[in-house]
Amino acid sequence: EQGVAHTDIVPSNVLLSEHDVKLSDFGNASVRKNKFFRRKTPRGQRFFYPPEMLREKMPGYVRFDNTADLYELAMVLVFMTTGVFPRLMELERERRAGKISDEDLLKHYRLVKERGEVELPDGIPQPLKEVIKKAISPYPEARYQSAEELSLALLKVYNMTPKENAA
């Protein structure tokens, strides 16, 4: 919303303290010139990327909007909630083991994500799962359109969750 996209929201870049959550490592950040961001094809932990960051519009470049970071944040929420990565992590392990090529992995990621077939692990409460599903829609226009909108949805889920008695 401020014209900057982090584009590398992964668990290791989310810093938690008792009262704060902060992002680190803005080395891949992009500054928006108009409605869309444009940057060189990203490298790194591809299983957190939204599908549009896996499609090159021009050789070596991708185009995306402000919902890309919200997609990545939702993928981090999956990991933080369950302790496991979405199913796409299994594909990354196969690539590292030499069972599939980088090119085949990228094609599979693109297909799975474009079809909205990211398999969420068990253990996510249904209300939170619905928020995550919307945030990781393969269609940017169907996702939460701002961090505030996603925050309000998460707060609603939080308020629905029974609290332990602190006394």
Side-chain angles (χ1 to χ4, degrees), residues 49-158:
Y49 292 162
E52 61 273 20
M53 289 184 72
L54 299 172
R55 288 190 297 264
E56 293 183 357
K57 295 290 182 186
M58 297 184 332
Y61 285 88
V62 294
R63 191 175 110 167
F64 53 96
D65 67 13
N66 62 315
T67 67
D69 277 349
L70 302 178
Y71 184 105
E72 290 180 348
L73 179 59
M75 295 296 267
V76 170
L77 278 173
V78 171
F79 177 75
M80 291 172 66
T81 304
T82 64
V84 297
F85 291 101
R87 185 191 171 288
L88 296 174
M89 182 62 181
E90 293 172 27
L91 297 170
E92 190 72 27
R93 285 191 196 108
E94 287 181 22
R95 182 196 60 81
R96 289 184 186 144
K99 295 178 181 176
I100 59 174
S101 69
D102 278 350
E103 189 176 313
D104 287 341
L105 175 70
L106 198 54
K107 284 179 189 174
H108 190 75
Y109 271 1
R110 206 171 309 156
L111 286 173
V112 165
K113 288 187 171 192
E114 286 176 353
R115 293 177 184 158
E117 296 173 353
V118 174
E119 186 179 320
L120 298 176
D122 294 334
I124 301 174
Q126 190 60 37
L128 180 57
K129 191 177 273 192
E130 294 305 316
V131 170
I132 290 169
K133 282 181 182 179
K134 180 173 179 173
I136 64 171
S137 169
Y139 309 105
E141 63 277 4
R143 296 179 198 147
Y144 296 100
Q145 296 300 300
S146 68
E148 181 180 14
E149 189 180 354
L150 176 58
S151 296
L152 289 172
L154 290 170
L155 188 58
K156 185 176 176 182
V157 169
Y158 175 78

Side-chain angles (χ1 to χ4, degrees), residues 3-7 26 28-32 37-40 64:
V4 176
H6 188 280
T7 71
F26 282 78
N28 287 333
S30 297
V31 177
R32 181 175 53 212
F37 295 90
R38 191 182 112 193
R39 61 166 290 182
K40 289 190 174 182
F64 53 96

